[in-house]
Amino acid sequence: MKRLAELTKRWKDEGLLMPIWMEENQLCMVNQLKLPHEMIIVAINEVEELAEAIRTMAIRGSGAIGIAGVYGMLLECRKSKGNKARIVDAGRLLSMTRPTAVNLIKTIQQMTDYVNQLGEGEIEDLFEEKACDILENQLAFEKQLGENGAELIDDGDAILTHCHSGALAGSGFGGRALSVIRTAFLQGKRIHVYTCETRPYLQGARITAFELEKFGIPHTLITDGMPGYLMELGKIQKVIVGSDRVAANGDLINKVGTYMHAVAAKENGVPFYTATSAHTIDFQLRRGLDLEVEYRPETEVTYINGQMIAAEGTKALYPAFDVTPNRFISGIITEAGVIRQPFGENLNKLR
């Protein structure tokens, strides 16, 4: 318990934009649905509350929900005083909330495998130590990923990003894509970021622009349909997006809309990169199109902030993710380095 408290204090002192953390026997979570106008911290006392927050996207982003899985199981560990069955059940509940998010599923599996190896009398202390190891590693990976990816950015680049793959979607430094962008900026490179608004949840407008403003990084908000034209005009030199899952062959599963940016980038000779972690690579998924993509409720398209924007009876479709074929990807940025073609062969080295 002492180690986790010390880590949390250190991370707050570093100024990390943490999406979730633990205080005593409850979780504190930033409600991302309220950004950018309100920074509301929600107290979570039950794993069921955390599961609902993940389902409704009050907390979202592959890295953030991965560490939320750790915190959720740790919360149940403390509440149950190390009851193995309850901890495993908590992990099972959380893993069902976002079926496309491999980081959440793999992290929970890692924690579940570990707790199943422990004897009943040692679970509480050792499980918390394991949780701290994972949380520290996730942040370290995030920063290393940023260092590796920043080498791809030239002084003067304008960079397109899509959705939100930043601090509040990760461990608090910069998540995936914004770790790369933020590191390049901290290195003194003069960059400008174009961030897509990202319908229907507007994560780019509400959260990415919010974080870029906090980091002091020059940026411009654009609609989702603008990037191709801006590339044609020579206003974008790089595309860097996050990832929810990477297939064994290098296909990218990411927020819907990513695919069309990749096609436009290919047409205009603009390098397209995804920033991810080795943990997000699904070696059981042979190619991206083999995945059953999560479909969200159609009301998320027909309503904005509770206000209906379409005619009554209008049908809507919302696949939360799309698949970008590996042929459009210039490189996959990871904490182990930048992976390039042939992706199947080179990704396999990260196993």
Side-chain angles (χ1 to χ4, degrees):
M1 294 184 183
K2 182 179 178 182
R3 180 184 171 193
L4 181 59
E6 290 174 347
L7 288 175
T8 303
K9 182 181 184 304
R10 189 181 83 204
W11 293 333
K12 286 184 176 181
D13 290 345
E14 287 181 17
L16 297 184
L17 272 175
M18 295 187 295
I20 188 169
W21 64 94
M22 178 169 268
E23 291 183 1
E24 298 301 330
N25 289 322
Q26 71 174 14
L27 302 180
C28 300
M29 184 199 77
V30 176
N31 184 345
Q32 296 185 31
L33 295 173
K34 300 299 183 181
L35 292 171
H37 305 299
E38 298 178 282
M39 176 70 92
I40 293 179
I41 310 300
V42 179
I44 291 179
N45 296 289
E46 303 291 340
V47 172
E48 289 79 9
E49 295 171 351
L50 179 59
E52 183 62 16
I54 296 172
R55 273 192 292 267
T56 60
M57 296 176 72
I59 181 169
R60 41 141 306 282
S62 61
I65 61 176
I67 64 172
V70 175
Y71 278 117
M73 294 179 76
L74 184 54
L75 175 66
E76 191 59 43
C77 180
R78 285 192 179 183
K79 287 175 62 67
S80 69
K81 300 191 182 303
N83 184 291
K84 183 182 295 190
R86 285 179 55 180
I87 297 168
V88 171
D89 284 346
R92 188 177 298 114
L93 173 66
L94 292 168
S95 68
M96 294 187 294
T97 55
R98 298 296 304 276
T100 309
V102 70
N103 203 29
L104 170 65
I105 295 166
K106 288 172 74 171
T107 302
I108 287 173
Q109 189 60 55
Q110 185 179 1
M111 296 291 285
T112 300
D113 291 345
Y114 182 73
V115 76
N116 280 330
Q117 297 170 12
L118 301 177
E120 293 293 343
E122 59 184 359
I123 290 176
E124 200 164 1
D125 288 338
L126 292 181
F127 190 78
E128 186 149 326
E129 282 296 308
K130 181 67 171 180
C132 288
D133 288 343
I134 291 175
L135 294 171
E136 281 200 285
N137 287 339
Q138 289 290 318
L139 180 58
F141 289 166
E142 201 165 293
K143 292 181 177 180
Q144 185 60 55
L145 184 154
E147 292 286 339
N148 295 340
E151 296 179 7
L152 302 170
I153 297 178
D154 297 317
D155 189 43
D157 273 352
I159 304 157
L160 173 74
T161 193
H162 182 65
C163 195
H164 170 246
S165 177
L168 288 167
S171 297
F173 173 74
R176 306 296 192 259
L178 289 196
S179 283
V180 174
I181 292 167
R182 186 181 184 189
T183 301
F185 179 73
L186 291 173
Q187 290 173 349
K189 293 176 181 176
R190 294 165 298 170
I191 60 175
H192 192 94
V193 179
Y194 287 99
T195 178
C196 293
E197 58 182 355
T198 323
R199 279 281 289 140
Y201 261 93
L202 300 171
Q203 295 101 317
R206 294 188 303 102
I207 313 177
T208 301
F210 166 79
E211 286 194 12
L212 290 168
E213 184 67 30
K214 275 194 169 293
F215 297 153
I217 301 173
H219 60 281
T220 301
L221 178 66
I222 61 176
T223 65
D224 293 351
M226 290 183 187
Y229 181 54
L230 294 181
M231 292 179 202
E232 177 75 19
L233 294 176
K235 291 184 177 294
I236 293 171
Q237 283 73 52
K238 304 276 166 51
V239 182
I240 301 177
V241 299
S243 70
D244 285 271
R245 190 180 297 211
V246 175
N249 71 340
D251 289 349
L252 169 64
I253 296 93
N254 195 50
K255 173 56 62 179
V256 67
T258 301
Y259 173 73
M260 67 177 183
H261 300 324
V263 172
K266 189 77 168 180
E267 172 67 20
N268 288 280
V270 174
F272 177 99
Y273 298 99
T274 179
T276 189
S277 72
H279 206 54
T280 310
I281 300 163
D282 185 355
F283 291 104
Q284 304 305 310
L285 183 66
R286 188 175 63 87
R287 60 179 193 136
L289 288 176
D290 291 338
L291 181 70
E292 185 176 345
V293 167
E294 171 190 358
Y295 277 74
R296 304 282 301 176
E298 62 182 42
T299 53
E300 296 183 7
V301 176
T302 56
Y303 283 77
I304 293 181
N305 291 332
Q307 177 69 46
M308 192 171 188
I309 61 170
E312 192 74 40
T314 298
K315 292 293 182 182
L317 188 67
Y318 179 18
F321 310 98
D322 60 23
V323 177
T324 299
N326 64 41
R327 66 182 180 274
F328 294 115
I329 299 172
S330 304
I332 300 172
I333 307 166
T334 76
E335 68 277 11
V338 180
I339 311 301
R340 298 186 185 273
Q341 291 278 16
F343 289 123
E345 178 183 332
N346 290 328
L347 286 173
N348 198 50
K349 298 173 184 176
L350 299 181
R351 280 179 180 265

